[in-house]
């Protein structure tokens, strides 16, 4: 590139990648706090472990590629990936799985493609799916929300669970774990129970899974903050949640005995956090506005389809990855009409 | 009731896609009246201060010139005349550093001023211009060297001549001044609203009585009031409207302003006249009034000298050719060492290396920015595909894709993504969280494309030259053979000389005719490829 050294604009530039990422981290706080409240210290331990591994991995790759380490770590993108991963996995996940997941996310999914900006897939979700496929049991063993557990797992017990795989003395898994609401819903529907019967389960809260609904509210708050700060735009989250709600609503209206209310879909799993924090990952999402609406809506629909007829109780990670593949194509066909042009677009 | 009526009457405004809000910083310099800059010892007047061909000097070194005297004649249709901005001795016509993004030197006339500031004899004012032939008025504007003073510096007389089959329905007077910091148009509107309207009226006459729309951003309430007040004094009210538009960069871009005021989109690669619109800057309007009503050429302009590194920011009436360093000194010099000295606004201006360069017609602002105002953006990070750039692009481009392809030097793809619709407004680079110097990539890509086209054109020319040479050689050979044959025949025929003489003459005429026809054909072909 020729060296026209100085070029407009000349003023200070308000936006910076690291600030954007910091805002995202800040927005995650209420949801994470809710998670810790309902699911214990394991959440926090996972986050710290994942962040440490992700940052170390990022630094190591930079070292190997002989690139400056400072900017790569200073942009906080690895930290965001780590936190998103850590809040998606069960709070009791063995430490080495977290380590494996983060290495997979940073080294393979992110850096092998050239680092931030080049990865076609969302690293956190790719790592989640990788672990889910490899270790399905560990990845689906969730703690019961605090008020439903017979035994509240303390901080040291969490540490021992994660690092040594040791249950608290005198306590069985049953006492601390529970199916996730989505899991429960699927399982019992498969057994032929009706929604009305399932709703009697203590896992039901006011409008979603007990505990889960408040976690979702926390992330919703953070999402609204991101919208307000203009870190994200409404296109992806709104279209994703709307598509999920519309699809769920339609089936619920058709047959309320076998389909839960739309609010259950929105507030019982990863839909909210996925809509605001995961699907909106700029690197792997669509960039055109029309494209973003299609992208978000497709994720919402895929989530509903997998939850209702697929093999997994929750599907946000799968849906996001699936649409990541389609993002470049969607972008290509949704280029805006250039000012002063009448309908001509870039040629394929 | 009256307010409801006025609400109803308020004309609709449109919006364009994107745009950004930047702190406008206008309060730094819009607080005091325009001051006239004292006469400098030496004026360096570039002979090209406009888009188009360099003007041809009509004075000789050593000559005494007078204020307002023609120094260089417009050369070709798209060009503008250059005049002396004070009296004195012409000491040199030579290349000097001029304000240009490239930082290169260009031909300048250097005048050692004599301090007398004596006017040359000026042409008669055309106060009754409405009775004159429009071509006469246009010729006057051309003589006066009026160009677009908003920064683009397109010769105004050309813009005012849209051609007989182009009906102009709207004349837009651009008082938007959307770049941060710059306030010269603001002050001009406050102080010379009447002249701006007088100029607009002359243009109105030249363009065949279109309606006039004047757009002013709403961060200049005094200017708006002054213009409204001045309009009330004229008989132009029937066809003139002043509209306050929301402050949003780049509302002052020609195509954006047209969109805001009329809702029309200028088709890509076309000039506004294609859709019956002509857009002129307020400064140009005032200059047209000076030229037609006073017979005065364009030899000075208002320049905003500002930025937090300047001790006393303000607006100065400056003679063309005054060194920028004089302006800064006149404003109390630097308060703080500037990190950047910019000619023009912070969004689209260019950095100047030597403060000795002279003020030119399009130079609306000298901006000295401090470390805080223009901090080093730091190294560019990788694009995170956040799409902010596309959100703010007023041309509705995909700046990120343009960047990828420009970086990959994929010149075909950048053109597929409409690189040439980019107005280099800098909105995208301003919001990019990775601080990628996007505009720099686009300029680079444009230059590469131009260079490639130029290469192609040259190759084509070379091919044509080769072909015509080949044709010439063949023809000469044919003619030589024909002459030989004729000679032989005439020898064989023996006497009867006069007859063959006549034949030879005929043959020669025929050959000449053929040559002329061939030449014509070749010229026509050359023209065709030129146009392509
Ligand atoms: S604003 Fe910058 S980082 Fe964001 S998509 Fe555009 S070029 Fe990439
Ligand atoms: S500089 Fe070009 S690409 Fe960037 S915002 Fe302006 S018009 Fe769009």
């Amino acid at each position: 590139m020729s060296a026209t050294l100085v070029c407009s604009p000349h003023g200070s530039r308000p936006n910076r990648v690291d600030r954007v990422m910091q805002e995202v981290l800040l927005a995650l706080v209420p949801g994470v706090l809710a998670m810790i409240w309902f699911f214990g210290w394991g959440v926090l331990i996972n986050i710290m472990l994942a962040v440490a591994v992700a940052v170390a991995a990022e630094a190591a790759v930079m070292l190997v590629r002989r690139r400056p380490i400072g900017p790569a770590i200073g942009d906080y993108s690895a930290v965001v990936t780590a936190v998103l991963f850590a809040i998606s996995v069960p709070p009791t996940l063995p430490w080495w799985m977290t380590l494996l997941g983060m290495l997979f996310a940073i080294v393979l999914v992110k850096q092998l493609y050239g680092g931030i900006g080049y990865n076609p897939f969302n690293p956190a979700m790719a790592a989640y799916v990788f672990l889910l496929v490899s270790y399905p049991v560990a990845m689906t063993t969730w703690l019961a929300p605090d008020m439903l557990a017979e035994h509240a797992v303390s901080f040291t017990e969490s540490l021992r669970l994660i690092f040594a795989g040791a249950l608290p003395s005198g306590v069985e898994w049953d006492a601390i774990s529970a199916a996730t609401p989505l899991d429960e819903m699927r399982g019992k529907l498969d057994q032929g129970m009706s929604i009305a019967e399932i709703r009697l389960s203590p896992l039901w809260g006011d409008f979603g899974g007990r505990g889960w609904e408040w976690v979702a509210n926390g992330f919703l708050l953070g999402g609204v903050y991101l919208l307000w700060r203009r870190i994200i735009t409404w296109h992806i989250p709104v279209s994703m949640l709307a598509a999920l709600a519309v699809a769920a609503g339609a089936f619920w209206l058709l047959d309320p005995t076998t389909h839960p209310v739309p609010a259950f879909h929105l507030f019982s799993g990863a839909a909210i956090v996925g809509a605001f924090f995961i699907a909106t990952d700029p690197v792997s999402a669509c960039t055109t506005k029309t494209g973003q609406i299609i992208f978000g809506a497709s994720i919402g629909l895929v989530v509903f389809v997998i939850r209702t007829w697929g093999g997994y109780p929750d599907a946000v990670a799968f849906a996001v990855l699936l649409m990541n593949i389609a993002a470049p194509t969607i972008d290509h066909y949704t280029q805006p009409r250039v000012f002063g042009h009448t309908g001509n677009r870039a040629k394929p | 009731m009256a307010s409801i009526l006025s609400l109803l009457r308020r004309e609709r405004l449109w919006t364009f896609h994107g745009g950004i809000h930047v702190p406008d910083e206008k309060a730094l310099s819009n607080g005091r009246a325009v001051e006239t800059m004292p006469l400098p010892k030496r004026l360096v007047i570039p002979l090209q201060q406009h888009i188009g061909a360099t003007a041809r000097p009509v004075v000789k070194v050593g000559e005494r010139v007078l204020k307002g005297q023609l120094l260089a004649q417009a050369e070709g249709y798209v060009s503008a005349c250059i005049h002396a901005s004070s009296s004195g001795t012409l000491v040199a016509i030579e290349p000097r550093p001029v304000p240009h993004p490239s930082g290169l030197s260009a031909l300048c006339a250097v005048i050692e001023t004599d301090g007398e500031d004596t006017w040359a004899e000026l042409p008669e004012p055309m106060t009754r211009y409405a009775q004159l032939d429009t071509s006469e008025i246009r010729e006057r504007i051309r003589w006066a060297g009026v160009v677009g003073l908003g920064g683009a510096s397109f010769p105004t007389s050309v813009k005012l001549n849209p051609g007989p089959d182009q009906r102009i329905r709207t004349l837009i007077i651009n008082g938007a001044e959307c770049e941060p910091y710059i306030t010269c148009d603001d002050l001009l509107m406050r102080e010379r609203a009447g002249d701006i309207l007088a100029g607009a009226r002359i243009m109105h006459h030249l363009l065949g009585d279109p309606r006039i729309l004047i757009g002013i951003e709403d961060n200049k309430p005094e200017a708006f009031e002054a213009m409204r007040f001045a309009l009330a004094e004229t008989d132009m009210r029937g066809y003139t409207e002043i509209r306050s538009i929301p402050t949003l960069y780049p509302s002052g871009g020609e195509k954006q302003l047209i969109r805001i005021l009329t809702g029309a989109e200028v088709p890509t690669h076309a000039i506004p006249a294609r859709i019956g619109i002509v857009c002129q800057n307020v400064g140009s309007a005032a200059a047209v009034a000076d030229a037609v009503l006073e017979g005065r050429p364009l030899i000075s302009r208002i320049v905003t000298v500002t930025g937090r590194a300047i001790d006393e920011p303000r607006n100065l009436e400056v003679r063309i050719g005054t060194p920028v360093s004089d302006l800064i000194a006149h404003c109390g010099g630097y308060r703080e060492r500037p990190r950047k000295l910019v000619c023009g606004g912070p969004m689209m201006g260019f950095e100047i290396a030597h403060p000795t360069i002279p003020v030119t017609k399009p130079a609306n602002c000298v901006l000295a920015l401090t470390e805080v105002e223009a901090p080093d953006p730091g190294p560019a990070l990788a694009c995170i595909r956040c799409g902010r750039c596309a959100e703010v692009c007023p041309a509705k481009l995909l700046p990120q894709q343009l960047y990828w392809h420009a970086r990959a030097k994929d010149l075909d793809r950048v053109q597929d993504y409409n690189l040439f619709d980019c107005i280099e407004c800098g909105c995208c680079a301003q919001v990019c969280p990775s601080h990628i110097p996007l505009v720099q990539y686009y300029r680079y890509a444009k230059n590469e494309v131009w260079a490639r086209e130029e290469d192609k054109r040259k190759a084509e020319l070379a091919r044509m030259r080769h072909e015509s040479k080949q044709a010439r050689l063949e023809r000469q050979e044919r003619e030589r053979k024909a002459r030989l044959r004729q000679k032989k025949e005439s020898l064989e025929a023996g006497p009867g000389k006069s007859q063959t003489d006549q034949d030879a003459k005929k043959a020669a005429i025929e050959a000449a005719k053929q040559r002329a026809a061939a030449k014509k054909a070749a010229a026509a072909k050359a023209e065709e490829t030129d146009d392509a």
Side-chain angles (χ1 to χ4, degrees):
Chain A
M1 152 128 215
S2 77
T4 11
L5 273 173
V6 275
C7 195
S8 56
H10 302 285
S12 67
R13 311 206 183 151
N15 300 330
R16 267 172 43 187
V17 174
D18 55 350
R19 298 219 185 106
V20 172
M21 296 291 172
Q22 284 166 3
E23 296 265 28
V24 172
L25 289 174
L26 188 64
L28 281 165
V29 168
V32 167
L33 286 181
M35 277 194 92
I36 296 173
W37 175 265
F38 288 108
F39 299 104
W41 293 107
V43 176
L44 188 65
I45 296 168
N46 274 351
I47 289 176
M48 295 195 316
L49 182 62
V51 167
V53 175
V55 171
E58 185 107 327
V61 174
M62 286 293 128
L63 214 62
V64 172
R65 292 177 65 193
R66 294 175 195 284
R67 295 272 190 86
I69 296 177
I73 294 177
D75 68 16
Y76 289 88
S77 61
V79 179
V80 170
T81 297
V83 176
L84 290 177
F85 170 81
I87 59 175
S88 310
V89 298
T92 54
L93 196 72
W95 63 274
W96 57 269
M97 285 193 199
T98 302
L99 181 114
L100 207 61
M102 279 293 89
L103 288 179
F104 181 82
I106 300 293
V107 179
L108 283 173
V109 183
K110 184 175 175 189
Q111 292 295 350
L112 273 195
Y113 281 101
I116 184 172
Y118 296 89
N119 46 297
F121 297 108
N122 184 313
M125 288 306 101
Y128 174 87
V129 166
F130 160 65
L131 289 180
L132 182 63
V133 173
S134 315
Y135 309 100
V137 178
M139 283 293 283
T140 49
T141 308
W142 270 88
L143 288 183
D146 182 48
M147 58 285 203
L148 299 180
E150 287 165 30
H151 175 93
V153 185
S154 73
F155 185 75
T156 37
E157 284 168 348
S158 299
L159 277 178
R160 291 187 53 214
L161 244 179
I162 291 171
F163 287 96
L167 284 168
S169 55
V171 174
E172 292 297 310
W173 260 117
D174 289 356
I176 54 171
S177 71
T180 64
L182 286 167
D183 230 349
E184 167 111 343
M185 175 68 60
R186 275 190 69 81
K188 295 204 168 154
L189 279 174
D190 285 350
Q191 290 165 23
M193 290 170 79
S194 75
I195 296 285
E197 289 165 303
I198 302 170
R199 284 194 79 143
L200 296 174
S201 152
L203 277 174
W204 270 92
D206 295 321
F207 41 91
R210 179 158 306 170
W212 290 90
E213 56 195 10
W214 286 103
V215 171
N217 280 339
F219 288 124
L220 184 61
L221 189 69
V224 171
Y225 173 79
L226 288 184
L227 283 174
W228 174 62
R229 300 286 295 156
R230 292 171 180 252
I231 302 293
I232 57 172
T233 58
W234 60 269
H235 303 78
I236 293 177
V238 169
S239 59
M240 171 176 160
L241 295 176
L244 180 57
V246 167
F251 280 89
W252 172 66
L253 284 176
L254 281 177
D255 185 2
T257 57
T258 57
H259 290 282
V261 287
F264 178 82
H265 273 284
L266 296 183
F267 290 94
S268 299
I272 298 282
V273 69
F276 288 99
F277 292 90
I278 294 167
T280 50
D281 163 31
V283 177
S284 50
C286 280
T287 58
T288 67
K289 289 297 160 217
T290 325
Q292 288 180 347
I293 292 176
I294 298 173
F295 178 81
S298 309
I299 293 177
L301 289 179
V302 174
V303 166
F304 179 77
V305 168
I306 299 184
R307 278 183 182 179
T308 312
W309 299 288
Y312 292 90
D314 201 354
V316 171
F318 283 108
V320 169
L321 291 181
L322 204 63
M323 293 316 295
N324 284 165
I325 300 174
T329 313
I330 299 177
D331 268 345
H332 183 81
Y333 287 105
T334 53
Q335 285 168 34
R337 184 183 63 85
V338 173
F339 188 85
H341 284 245
T342 40
N344 65 342
R345 292 168 185 194
K347 285 169 236 144
Chain B
M1 188 63 200
S3 70
I4 293 175
L5 269 184
S6 78
L7 266 184
L8 283 178
R9 260 214 314 272
R10 182 180 285 172
E11 285 292 330
R12 180 171 170 207
L13 293 178
W14 281 261
T15 55
F16 58 88
H17 176 263
I20 53 176
H21 293 278
V22 257
D24 71 11
E25 302 285 3
K26 307 239 185 202
L28 275 183
S29 57
N30 68 6
R32 25 170 148 181
V34 177
E35 215 172 287
T36 305
M37 179 70 196
L39 182 60
K41 282 206 183 58
R42 187 175 273 234
L43 292 162
V44 178
I45 304 176
L47 299 187
Q48 188 189 19
Q49 304 180 28
H50 45 263
I51 286 177
T54 307
R56 172 175 47 85
V58 293
V59 282
K60 287 200 186 61
V61 176
E63 206 176 304
R64 175 174 151 81
V65 294
L66 296 176
K67 183 178 181 181
Q69 182 181 338
L70 188 70
L71 290 181
Q73 174 70 40
E75 186 80 342
Y77 186 54
V78 183
S79 183
C81 295
I82 307 280
H83 301 77
S85 43
S86 185
S87 59
T89 315
L90 187 73
V91 292
I93 297 181
E94 61 187 25
R96 293 280 180 109
V98 293
H100 190 268
S102 67
L104 294 179
S105 296
L107 209 56
C108 294
V110 184
I111 300 173
E112 203 83 67
T113 57
D114 57 15
E116 285 162 30
D117 213 19
T118 320
W119 275 101
E121 197 181 319
L122 296 177
E124 279 296 303
M126 297 172 156
T127 33
R128 318 190 125 232
Y129 62 84
Q131 282 137 35
L132 294 177
D133 197 54
T134 52
S135 65
E136 220 174 304
I137 309 169
R138 232 178 260 124
E139 196 41 54
R140 165 66 63 84
I141 295 170
R142 182 171 154 87
W143 165 82
V146 183
V147 299
L149 295 186
S153 63
F154 194 84
T156 301
S157 59
V158 179
K159 253 188 171 179
L160 291 175
N161 191 15
D165 35 56
Q166 188 57 68
R167 179 156 154 58
I168 299 298
R169 275 159 298 145
T170 307
L171 166 64
I172 289 179
I173 302 293
N174 187 346
E177 197 165 52
C178 60
E179 273 258 15
Y181 290 97
I182 307 181
T183 54
C184 58
D185 287 353
D186 183 1
L187 270 289
L188 184 82
M189 287 187 277
R190 293 191 207 177
E191 298 186 4
R192 295 186 59 194
D195 293 338
I196 294 170
L197 289 174
R201 188 193 199 160
I202 295 168
M203 299 189 199
H204 165 83
H205 173 64
L206 287 175
L207 293 169
D209 306 339
R211 66 169 170 165
I212 303 179
L213 296 179
I214 304 177
I216 303 172
E217 267 193 339
D218 58 14
N219 58 356
K220 295 179 263 295
E222 286 101 332
F224 183 80
E225 278 312 308
M227 291 290 287
R228 229 179 47 167
F229 196 73
L231 180 63
E233 308 266 283
T234 67
D235 56 358
M236 298 165 70
R237 275 161 302 167
Y239 54 84
T240 308
E241 239 179 274
I242 305 181
R243 293 191 190 164
S244 174
I245 62 173
T247 299
L248 179 71
Y249 178 84
S251 294
E254 188 171 74
K255 293 184 176 185
Q256 281 65 42
L257 186 61
I258 288 172
R259 165 81 191 165
I260 294 170
L261 292 177
T262 69
E265 269 182 45
V266 181
T268 176
H269 305 315
I271 55 168
R274 250 282 285 290
I275 53 170
I277 297 174
V278 166
C279 194
Q280 297 277 3
N281 166 268
V282 283
S284 310
V288 163
D290 286 349
V292 175
L293 303 177
E294 317 265 345
R296 229 179 21 227
L298 178 62
I299 55 170
S300 68
R301 69 157 297 141
I302 304 179
V303 182
T304 307
V305 184
T306 186
R308 289 183 198 277
I310 297 283
D311 196 37
E312 294 169 36
R314 76 184 79 167
N315 283 282
L316 299 172
E317 170 92 37
V318 183
R319 281 163 220 269
I320 306 299
T322 309
V324 164
S325 48
D326 280 20
L327 272 58
I328 294 167
H330 191 75
C331 292
Y334 295 128
R335 166 192 293 253
E336 178 181 330
R337 226 181 80 82
R339 199 185 87 79
K340 256 186 190 191
L341 192 58
V342 173
C343 180
M347 296 301 295
M348 291 184 78
F350 50 90
E351 199 167 350
I352 40 186
H354 327 265
T356 51
I357 60 153
V359 167
T360 54
K361 292 175 189 176
N364 48 9
C365 183
V366 171
L367 191 56
L369 297 169
T370 62
E371 186 65 50
V372 177
E373 288 171 293
D376 186 346
L381 304 175
C383 165
I384 57 167
R385 306 185 66 237
C386 64
R388 294 243 181 146
C389 46
E391 270 164 44
V392 299
C393 177
K396 270 196 177 177
L397 296 169
L398 298 173
Q400 169 206 343
Q401 272 81 344
L402 279 175
Y403 156 69
W404 286 116
H405 297 307
R407 216 171 80 132
K409 302 198 181 177
D410 191 340
L411 297 184
D412 293 322
R413 294 283 279 184
V414 278
Q415 288 183 83
D416 288 346
Y417 277 92
N418 303 303
L419 172 70
F420 284 92
D421 284 292
C422 168
I423 56 170
E424 299 184 16
C425 64
C427 287
C428 52
Q430 182 67 24
V431 298
C432 174
S434 293
H435 293 179
I436 301 169
L438 294 163
V439 181
Q440 192 167 315
Y441 281 97
Y442 308 150
R443 285 206 187 136
Y444 160 79
K446 282 182 185 173
N447 282 333
E448 290 291 290
V449 172
W450 283 324
R452 187 173 72 169
E453 306 272 288
E454 179 67 5
D455 281 352
K456 255 196 226 155
R457 210 177 55 84
K458 275 190 188 142
E460 179 64 13
L461 269 182
R463 191 185 59 76
M464 269 166 39
R465 260 202 303 274
H466 176 76
E467 271 173 14
S468 67
K469 184 177 168 195
Q470 211 63 25
R472 194 183 72 230
L473 290 179
E474 274 165 28
R475 194 194 63 227
Q476 281 172 348
E477 181 63 19
R478 261 200 321 276
E479 284 172 3
R480 199 177 59 84
K481 280 199 180 132
R483 268 203 307 278
L484 270 179
R485 204 172 49 238
Q486 235 166 32
K487 222 174 189 173
K488 222 161 143 195
E489 277 167 9
S490 66
L491 274 180
E492 273 163 12
K497 202 170 169 242
S498 60
Q499 180 65 32
T500 35
D501 248 8
Q502 264 173 20
D503 277 357
K505 246 186 211 158
K506 247 189 210 157
I509 291 169
E510 202 48 49
K513 262 189 195 159
Q514 260 175 24
R515 268 202 300 277
K519 226 183 196 169
K520 232 187 209 165
K525 202 171 165 196
E527 215 162 84
E528 236 167 59
T529 33
D530 255 4
D531 285 348

